[in-house]
Amino acid sequence: MVYLTVKQSPSYHQISLEEFLFGVTADTPAVNRNETNTRTYKLDRVNPKLLERTDVPALIAVLHAFNESTAPLRDTRREDLYTSFHIPKKSGGLRQIDAPVPELMDALRRLKRIFEQDFHALYHTSAFAYVGGRSIVDAVRRHQANDSQWFGKYDLHNFFGSTTQEFVMNQLSLIFPFSEVVKVPEGREELEKALDLAFLHGGLPQGTPFSPTVTNVMMIPIDYELSHGFRDLNGRSFVNTRYADDFTVSSRYDFDPRAVEKFIVDTLAKFNAPFTINASKTRYGSRSGRNWNLGLMLNKDNDITVGHKRKRQLQTMLHNYIMDKKNGVSWSLHDVQVMDGNLNFCRMVEKEAIDSIVGHINQKMGVDVRRMITVDLTNPVS
């Protein structure tokens, strides 16, 4: 069994005869212009013509060259190739970040490019984290488009740290074209050797450019089986998305969240995945309640919002920034960057509402706050 993932082309409205005859085709919109969607196929065997176009020896050669060039890193104690520190979690506690030293960082960036450019590694269309052109907003929009009313949220415990090299290799053996490379003894050896450089203490460290890429690739078979099963699970249809270790499953109708959880657990077990559901973080509720998804609210009106509290905090932050500027108090570059990032994120989610807040503040205080922020970002205080 092999899983083949390809980019899905944008779909367009099919022109009818009437539209053609009466010339109303000029502004015909695409049904879906999204170029980040993918399609995964589960195949009993790969098409011979595709195999002919796949240069397996060349892929093995690329891995071999990478391994040869990174040999000095393998002679260094792995722990000495990382700087570890902690950052606070939103849910409380601390998350350890293991940042590679520059030499290892460069090597893992190269390995990421090899996966993406030489192996054309993608992701399942239900995956939204660490994908260019996708964000948490896009993940929530999947559920919004379904007009979902009920939501189950499920979290994997220690997702990166629990990922073993053995599990990644087993998954890659199911995913084209890695599946063809590992059939060759030399190819398996080179791929294992390349992957080994990406692991620390038996798991994937958080803080490297390669860890997010390989998790999205290795999860393709699991994401496929989940999405396929959720089309008709116990006579119900569901929408599911995954953002790293967070699964969101929704439906237009009330459902049994434990039955959904069991299906996720059973699917993980099918692939001998080294993950467990963090039951303490499992949530279930309707859109009429406090329906938070990945830090965003999908409310009773099926609108995506950052919430009243965050908008009030942004308004207060902008007000304090303007007042300090008027009083000759300059903010540090970091503080201005945080404020600008918060402003841009909120505006990405609720453009009209945030523009209204900014416009009100500008009018009330006689300033152009976005221009002020741009100036401070361009000419930061030393």
Side-chain angles (χ1 to χ4, degrees), residues 32 137-149 151 239 250 252 287 298 302-304:
N32 185 357
V137 182
D138 298 303
V140 177
R141 282 174 180 157
R142 279 279 176 95
H143 303 274
Q144 181 190 43
N146 187 57
D147 195 21
S148 293
Q149 299 286 338
F151 293 76
V239 171
S250 69
R252 295 180 183 179
R287 205 173 71 194
L298 184 58
N302 203 28
D303 293 326
I304 301 174

Side-chain angles (χ1 to χ4, degrees), residues 7 16 62 88 92 109 130 194 198 259 301 306 336:
K7 278 287 185 75
S16 68
V62 168
R109 283 178 179 147
Y130 319 120
D301 298 318
V306 296
V336 177

Side-chain angles (χ1 to χ4, degrees), residues 136-317:
I136 57 174
V137 182
D138 298 303
V140 177
R141 282 174 180 157
R142 279 279 176 95
H143 303 274
Q144 181 190 43
N146 187 57
D147 195 21
S148 293
Q149 299 286 338
W150 293 87
F151 293 76
K153 293 103 175 184
Y154 309 89
D155 178 82
L156 295 179
H157 179 69
N158 193 21
F159 182 52
F160 283 88
S162 298
T163 299
T164 64
Q165 184 175 351
E166 180 184 8
F167 174 69
V168 173
M169 282 297 298
N170 288 340
Q171 292 297 99
L172 293 182
S173 70
L174 301 172
I175 301 166
F176 186 85
F178 300 96
S179 57
E180 305 310 306
V181 168
V182 299
K183 289 178 182 177
V184 182
E186 181 189 357
R188 175 176 286 275
E189 181 181 347
E190 296 292 354
L191 182 56
E192 284 182 338
K193 192 173 184 179
L195 282 175
D196 179 70
L197 199 60
F199 284 81
L200 176 68
H201 302 310
L204 284 173
Q206 294 195 52
T208 84
F210 182 68
S211 293
T213 297
V214 74
T215 55
N216 271 342
V217 178
M218 76 184 188
M219 288 295 287
I220 287 174
I222 294 173
D223 289 336
Y224 172 89
E225 296 296 342
L226 287 174
S227 294
H228 186 75
F230 278 132
R231 293 175 187 173
D232 184 5
L233 180 65
N234 300 329
R236 293 283 185 87
S237 176
F238 297 86
V239 171
N240 74 294
T241 55
R242 182 178 61 81
Y243 197 88
D245 56 356
D246 290 314
F247 293 98
T248 302
V249 182
S250 69
S251 172
R252 295 180 183 179
Y253 309 101
D254 190 8
F255 62 89
D256 181 358
R258 293 305 169 189
V260 168
E261 181 179 290
K262 183 179 184 303
F263 177 59
I264 296 174
V265 170
D266 289 347
T267 303
L268 292 171
K270 177 181 177 180
F271 292 92
N272 296 313
F275 315 122
T276 56
I277 294 288
N278 189 344
S280 65
K281 291 187 176 181
T282 296
R283 298 287 183 272
Y284 179 70
S286 75
R287 205 173 71 194
S288 60
R290 293 178 55 79
N291 184 35
W292 290 98
N293 298 276
L294 302 171
L296 299 176
M297 169 77 76
L298 184 58
N299 63 25
K300 60 182 178 60
D301 298 318
N302 203 28
D303 293 326
I304 301 174
T305 171
V306 296
H308 296 298
K309 182 179 179 180
R310 186 160 186 173
K311 282 185 281 194
R312 286 198 302 269
Q313 290 174 338
L314 175 63
Q315 189 168 3
T316 300
M317 184 182 293

